[in-house]
Amino acid sequence: MILKKFLNPVFSWIQVEITSNCNAQCTYCPHTILKPYWIKRDIPLNILEALNPLLRNVELVYLQGWGEPLLYPNLLEMISYLKNKKIKVGLTTNGMLLNDNMLNQILSSRLDILAFSLAGTTPATNDSIRKGTSFKKIISLAQNIKHYKQLHNIQTPALHLAYIVFKSTFNELEGLLSIIKQQIFSEIVINPLSLCLTPELENELIFIENLTNQQKKLLNLLKNMAKRYNTNLAIHLLQNQHSPCTENIQWSTTIGSNKQIYPCVFHMLPIKGKTTHYYFHKKYYLKPQNFGDLNKNSLKEIWWDKKYRLFRKHHFKNRLEPYQCSKCYKRHIKSEILN
């Protein structure tokens, strides 16, 4: 262990919540449900100084948390700094702030991954779930970016689609067939809900064991279409039994907009007081796990601290009590990735 304290950790990715502010009101999001308790804040730009000593050992910095990254006033400066350090950089956006000026700046920023979020493949469905966003605008933006890249013969940013599926909207996945055919997105990730703050949201969970033959047929159609049109497709659905956590706890970390260190975003809701969530129809208090403060210690010191090391060890061995992870649906995701 003495040797480790002198070694810089290696990360597959570091996720940075640059802002907790958001301009949308998605019906399933903690930002909407917990609005009276929400803490609005932007991460100080000096976070870059804290990251700098370790950047050579980071594959990807993803500028994403519980807010909309395009609201962060120093976004372009942060991307520029990281790209000058030869770091791969990505973010996920609802797209509503991408006017012509902002879009031109993003396209000139050398950003590697630009992901858009959807929760339906029709305006009626998506726009009613992801309130304050527009399905038509997102598809139009993605098409325009694709054409811009072709015209200028550039590869970045890679366009990804983060798609959230509900039990009641499962059949809307059929609309992805058309989107895949257009070859707008190089990667599409289909996710279920993972954090249910109300009983109604928990009723929207989709378990593999409960899929109908028709639903299985639709998933197979998507897989075949993705192969045909060279689209990376990841389908994440829930199952009753435990699976390895998809958050890559051993090789990643998450920095909150308060500059504190968490194992993943589900531990760092920026709220005042306590809140509850639902797991297999029982209500539990959320128990966020914080491992240190970058205002007080370096990321290297926090990563090798006994408390964080013990958590990663327990997580690896599936000894998750009393951690919040023991009551998390992320441990029930079965992934199928096609590329």
Side-chain angles (χ1 to χ4, degrees):
M1 184 55 221
I2 294 177
L3 179 61
K4 284 187 176 180
K5 288 186 178 180
F6 292 97
L7 296 175
N8 286 330
V10 176
F11 297 103
S12 296
W13 71 76
I14 294 178
Q15 188 165 350
V16 183
E17 181 185 57
I18 54 179
T19 183
S20 64
N21 292 296
C22 191
N23 57 328
Q25 301 85 42
C26 301
T27 58
Y28 54 88
C29 183
H31 176 267
T32 303
I33 298 169
L34 302 175
K35 189 174 182 178
Y37 314 102
W38 201 257
I39 299 172
K40 298 179 179 180
R41 61 192 175 209
D42 296 327
I43 201 168
L45 192 58
N46 65 10
I47 185 64
L48 296 171
E49 298 172 14
L51 290 179
N52 186 53
L54 300 182
L55 285 178
R56 69 180 64 184
N57 294 334
V58 180
E59 292 182 28
L60 169 68
V61 173
Y62 210 79
L63 306 177
Q64 184 67 38
W66 292 108
E68 166 53 50
L70 297 185
L71 284 170
Y72 184 58
N74 300 309
L75 175 63
L76 295 169
E77 185 176 351
M78 183 170 285
I79 294 172
S80 176
Y81 179 91
L82 293 169
K83 291 309 302 174
N84 287 339
K85 296 290 184 179
K86 303 187 185 307
I87 302 299
K88 189 175 182 181
V89 185
L91 61 85
T92 302
T93 177
N94 61 40
M96 296 305 100
L97 297 175
L98 279 175
N99 55 33
D100 289 345
N101 180 52
M102 177 58 80
L103 182 56
N104 287 332
Q105 292 184 78
I106 289 292
L107 291 173
S108 301
S109 70
R110 297 172 289 162
L111 183 72
D112 296 280
I113 300 170
L114 179 61
F116 292 98
S117 298
L118 288 177
T121 54
T122 63
T125 299
N126 180 79
D127 301 0
S128 63
I129 295 174
R130 294 183 53 78
K131 294 183 177 180
T133 73
S134 167
F135 173 83
K136 288 183 177 180
K137 179 173 181 177
I138 289 171
I139 296 300
S140 177
L141 278 167
Q143 289 171 332
N144 290 341
I145 294 171
K146 176 189 173 182
H147 295 152
Y148 178 92
K149 289 166 58 180
Q150 290 174 335
L151 182 65
H152 292 83
N153 194 29
I154 57 175
Q155 301 300 313
T156 57
L159 292 179
H160 292 185
L161 175 60
Y163 189 96
I164 188 163
V165 61
F166 299 82
K167 182 188 292 185
S168 62
T169 64
F170 192 95
N171 290 340
E172 291 249 342
L173 288 175
E174 187 173 354
L176 287 179
L177 294 171
S178 172
I179 291 174
I180 292 172
K181 281 183 182 179
Q182 297 177 59
Q183 295 183 294
I184 307 171
F185 301 102
S186 60
E187 180 171 304
I188 297 176
V189 180
I190 299 172
N191 276 310
L193 281 170
S194 300
L195 180 62
C196 300
L197 297 180
T198 68
E200 293 77 16
L201 286 176
E202 194 175 33
N203 290 334
E204 289 284 1
L205 297 181
I206 302 166
F207 286 84
I208 291 173
E209 293 88 348
N210 299 329
L211 289 177
T212 66
N213 289 334
Q214 190 66 25
Q215 289 172 330
K216 292 176 184 177
K217 182 179 178 180
L218 176 54
L219 292 178
N220 285 328
L221 284 173
L222 286 170
K223 295 172 190 177
N224 292 332
M225 188 67 73
K227 287 180 180 178
R228 181 178 176 183
Y229 288 94
N230 299 315
T231 300
N232 294 337
L233 175 65
I235 300 176
H236 300 156
L237 295 177
L238 296 170
Q239 60 182 0
N240 286 313
Q241 68 184 47
H242 290 156
S243 303
C245 176
T246 58
E247 294 302 298
N248 196 23
I249 297 299
Q250 306 300 323
W251 299 100
S252 70
T253 196
T254 300
I255 304 173
S257 50
N258 55 0
K259 291 183 69 176
Q260 295 182 2
I261 301 300
Y262 303 88
C264 75
V265 294
F266 296 94
H267 282 270
M268 67 167 199
L269 287 178
I271 58 171
K272 303 170 187 174
K274 296 181 178 180
T275 190
T276 56
H277 71 118
Y278 291 82
Y279 176 76
F280 285 101
H281 305 292
K282 291 184 180 181
K283 185 162 68 171
Y284 299 93
Y285 277 104
L286 281 173
K287 297 184 287 186
Q289 194 70 42
N290 177 327
F291 290 106
D293 189 333
L294 289 175
N295 290 306
K296 300 176 182 178
N297 299 98
S298 71
L299 180 54
K300 177 179 175 180
E301 290 171 331
I302 296 169
W303 180 260
W304 292 127
D305 182 75
K306 181 178 179 180
K307 183 181 175 184
Y308 204 172
R309 285 189 292 112
L310 187 62
F311 170 81
R312 294 197 301 274
K313 179 180 178 180
H314 285 174
H315 201 279
F316 181 75
K317 294 186 175 182
N318 207 31
R319 299 174 185 169
L320 297 178
E321 294 288 355
Y323 303 116
Q324 178 177 305
C325 306
S326 65
K327 305 292 189 299
C328 180
Y329 278 118
K330 279 285 183 179
R331 295 177 61 230
H332 294 269
I333 288 181
K334 180 177 176 61
S335 302
E336 185 166 359
I337 301 173
L338 305 172
N339 49 37

